[in-house]
Amino acid sequence: MTKSNDTLNRGPVRCDVSQYRLGAILLMFAWPAAWFTLLIYVIGRQFISEGSTSPTWLLLLVTVLGTGAELVVGLVLLRCEGYRMSINALRDRICLHWPKGWKAWVLAVIVFFLGMSLSVAVGPINSMLASVPGFTPPEWWPAASNPTVKVDSTADIFYDINLEGNYLFILLYFVIGLVFNIFGEEIYYRGFLLPRMRGTFGKWDWVANSVLFTLKHVYQRWLFPGILVGGLCFAFAAGPLGSLPLAMVYHWIGNFLFPMVFLIMAALGFG
């Protein structure tokens, strides 16, 4: 790791951050990939019966343990930098700001709609990639992120959960998604790690962050095209636009908006 005396520009924020060398950056993306692979393919696989699909409880547990580890490591490393664990103390370090000025917001809206459009466009590419040897998901992989499985209703995704009137499950799904998946990944990859990549990748650090973030998902590599689109949007929001909250909003909408809508409809008896 090297120390940079340069001031890093993050949209409206100026933040001095020690810089990682390339090897350290790769390591910071590699350990989560290894951890998720262990959780899913070694430990989790033991709880999936032959010929069945991964149960919902296992999916949620892997999310908690996987992205929860990223959240904890990110916060610990920030604490090791000398920051107190408060919004005010971390505000400039991890860019806890909304975009400043109408031009930034116009760009944010353009990025959002462009990202949503591209996400839809690469859907068929994900499906084609899932048929390529070496990229095919296991038969037991959850339907929510398995392009080879036809999904006709919310019940096809949460096949082992009685959804009608089950608002407690919806709340649990929302909290786990927001706290662990969104907060965990965004604080670690875009809040903590992205500002440490400028010394190696320069102004294209946000692109490098999104590419490495995509490759980190090697355990579900059939989704690489869609993950890359999302990663570019999240990193652009946290990097050039200088707004981690905006990256979190993008991420939550991309991962959870439609599932939450369909879950609520199913709970009301319409799905």
Side-chain angles (χ1 to χ4, degrees):
M1 184 175 70
T2 60
K3 179 74 175 181
S4 172
N5 293 322
D6 295 331
T7 300
L8 304 181
N9 291 294
R10 289 281 165 217
V13 181
R14 298 172 67 83
C15 186
D16 291 317
V17 182
S18 297
Q19 296 297 286
Y20 278 146
R21 297 185 186 277
L22 179 60
I25 293 172
L26 295 178
L27 178 62
M28 298 302 282
F29 282 93
W31 77 258
W35 174 233
F36 268 99
T37 300
L38 176 67
L39 285 175
I40 297 170
Y41 289 92
V42 179
I43 300 175
R45 184 67 182 88
Q46 306 306 313
F47 298 93
I48 305 173
S49 303
E50 196 67 33
S52 65
T53 304
S54 176
T56 299
W57 71 264
L58 183 59
L59 171 64
L60 297 180
L61 182 60
V62 167
T63 300
V64 170
L65 295 178
T67 56
E70 294 168 334
L71 176 60
V72 170
V73 170
L75 293 176
V76 168
L77 291 174
L78 288 167
R79 186 69 185 91
C80 290
E81 290 182 2
Y83 291 94
R84 291 181 293 107
M85 293 295 99
S86 69
I87 292 177
N88 286 335
L90 293 171
R91 191 179 305 277
D92 287 348
R93 170 59 180 87
I94 64 174
C95 298
L96 290 175
H97 302 265
W98 292 105
K100 299 294 181 65
W102 68 268
K103 291 182 180 179
W105 276 109
V106 168
L107 185 56
V109 171
I110 292 174
V111 169
F112 171 75
F113 283 106
L114 181 62
M116 293 293 287
S117 300
L118 288 175
S119 294
V120 173
V122 300
I125 301 177
N126 287 336
S127 298
M128 288 189 293
L129 188 61
S131 65
V132 175
F135 288 86
T136 304
E139 293 181 358
W140 45 264
W141 196 268
S145 54
N146 189 342
T148 66
V149 175
K150 183 180 180 181
V151 175
D152 294 317
S153 68
T154 312
D156 292 335
I157 298 175
F158 304 102
Y159 69 94
D160 53 347
I161 301 292
N162 182 14
L163 294 174
E164 188 168 355
N166 198 345
Y167 301 105
L168 182 60
F169 173 75
I170 294 176
L171 178 62
L172 178 66
Y173 183 79
F174 172 80
V175 171
I176 289 177
L178 180 65
V179 174
F180 292 95
N181 184 208
I182 305 305
F183 288 173
E185 288 191 336
E186 290 308 317
I187 288 175
Y188 179 74
Y189 293 105
R190 260 68 68 174
F192 169 75
L193 193 52
L194 177 56
R196 284 177 169 262
M197 297 173 62
R198 174 61 65 94
T200 297
F201 295 102
K203 66 180 181 179
W204 299 108
D205 55 349
W206 66 278
V207 176
N209 183 277
S210 61
V211 171
L212 291 172
F213 178 72
T214 300
L215 294 176
K216 169 257 175 183
H217 287 81
V218 62
Y219 45 87
Q220 47 183 358
R221 49 197 171 276
W222 51 90
L223 299 180
F224 272 173
I227 294 171
L228 179 60
V229 171
L232 286 168
C233 293
F234 311 153
F236 187 83
L241 287 178
S243 178
L244 188 65
L246 181 63
M248 291 178 174
V249 170
Y250 285 169
H251 202 160
W252 188 85
I253 291 175
N255 282 19
F256 293 103
L257 177 60
F258 291 115
M260 286 300 301
V261 170
F262 294 138
L263 275 172
I264 292 172
M265 290 178 62
L268 293 172
F270 298 111

